[in-house]
Amino acid sequence: MEKFSDIYKRAVERKGSEKMLKLLLAKPLSTKQLVTLSDDDWLEEFTRKVFQSGFYWSVINSKWAGFREVFWDFSVEKLLMMPPDMLEQKASDERIVRNYKKVKTITENAYMIHEVAAQHGSFSQFIANWPSEDIIGLWAYLKKHGARLGGNTGPYALRALGKDTFLLSRDVESYLRAHKIIDGGLQTKKSLIAAQAFFNELHQQSGLSMQELSLIVAYGVGDNRVGISQQQQD
């Protein structure tokens, strides 16, 4: 396993300077900041990532105002009271991307969020309290109890709303395979445990967040992209 200092040095060289690399990094939210997010915020982001999976993100983003109108700003309370036949009507609304299987995840994930909030005070509290040193455990929870939140969908939603997580982007996966940290399927239990152990070790060496470490690894390999496009890939 490479030392963090070597990984960091390579990322600095590829981005031109330490100053430029630091400009490209972003920190996750603090626990205090995370708990201020509403349950509706989480449902909206889960839904956005579910629909972005397999679609051009620009297409989903261009229709997002319509999604918010059709689904009452993703109010968990209102959506849980909605009768099934109304969901079918909303799934055919021209203001959204009409995909009934994905639309169904909105109420399914609303129920998951509601159940978690009932046990932990709020869904945000549950997320905030989950240790990043076992972030793959949170990924597994979302995959098991949520709808279509497996693979990179759940992790990308967590990252988008500020939960500290690494991401198994193409560049990060390429690094992990090149250095023999993983050698099987990306989403197997063995690979996920190995990836978590790798980032935990980097965290011990650097004191940086999983998010920053994930970005640094990605910036050190693959296409030398810059700015927000790189952060979307990581």
Side-chain angles (χ1 to χ4, degrees):
M1 175 178 166
E2 281 191 302
K3 294 181 179 180
F4 169 75
S5 58
D6 294 330
I7 297 171
Y8 185 78
K9 180 180 179 181
R10 184 168 56 250
V12 168
E13 291 174 349
R14 288 174 62 82
K15 294 308 171 187
S17 68
E18 187 171 26
K19 180 179 179 180
M20 180 58 70
L21 177 62
K22 289 183 176 180
L23 286 173
L24 294 172
L25 299 180
K27 294 181 181 294
L29 296 184
S30 66
T31 298
K32 185 176 180 179
Q33 290 171 320
L34 273 176
V35 297
T36 65
L37 298 175
S38 70
D39 290 351
D40 301 351
D41 291 332
W42 287 103
L43 180 60
E44 178 173 2
E45 198 56 45
F46 286 150
T47 304
R48 192 197 309 268
K49 291 298 178 282
V50 166
F51 273 87
Q52 285 176 339
S53 178
F55 285 90
Y56 286 109
W57 286 22
S58 58
V59 173
I60 303 303
N61 291 340
S62 69
K63 284 183 168 286
W64 204 250
F67 274 88
R68 291 183 60 85
E69 291 173 4
V70 171
F71 296 107
W72 304 307
D73 292 332
F74 296 95
S75 168
V76 172
E77 181 179 359
K78 291 180 179 179
L79 288 165
L80 289 178
M81 294 189 293
M82 180 176 59
D85 59 336
M86 184 178 291
L87 183 65
E88 294 182 15
Q89 294 173 12
K90 289 181 177 293
S92 62
D93 195 299
E94 293 183 355
R95 289 173 289 178
I96 70 169
V97 173
R98 290 169 290 178
N99 183 315
Y100 183 63
K101 289 183 178 180
K102 290 192 173 186
V103 168
K104 282 177 61 180
T105 69
I106 298 175
T107 51
E108 292 168 342
N109 286 326
Y111 181 77
M112 186 252 313
I113 290 170
H114 174 75
E115 288 292 292
V116 169
Q119 298 176 43
H120 297 272
S122 73
F123 191 77
S124 288
Q125 190 70 59
F126 169 74
I127 295 293
N129 288 342
W130 199 290
S132 290
E133 292 78 10
D134 179 38
I135 199 65
I136 62 170
L138 181 54
W139 296 0
Y141 185 94
L142 294 177
K143 179 180 179 180
K144 180 178 179 179
H145 298 280
R148 293 195 176 215
L149 296 180
N152 276 335
T153 304
Y156 268 80
L158 294 173
R159 168 70 69 84
L161 285 185
K163 175 63 178 175
D164 188 20
T165 182
F166 63 86
L167 293 177
L168 294 176
S169 65
R170 291 192 301 271
D171 288 341
V172 171
E173 179 185 2
S174 176
Y175 177 91
L176 295 176
R177 292 193 185 282
H179 290 79
K180 310 300 182 183
I181 295 166
I182 63 172
D183 59 9
L186 183 62
Q187 296 293 333
T188 64
K189 185 176 181 180
K190 179 182 177 182
S191 291
L192 293 175
I193 290 173
Q196 179 78 72
F198 168 73
F199 280 104
N200 286 352
E201 177 60 29
L202 292 187
H203 173 69
Q204 288 295 318
Q205 293 180 27
S206 68
L208 297 178
S209 66
M210 298 294 170
Q211 175 170 319
E212 292 169 294
L213 293 169
S214 182
L215 288 165
I216 290 168
V217 170
Y219 287 139
V221 298
D223 295 332
N224 198 19
R225 296 180 292 267
V226 297
I228 187 64
S229 61
Q230 171 70 47
Q231 293 191 37
Q232 288 175 341
Q233 289 297 325
D234 173 68

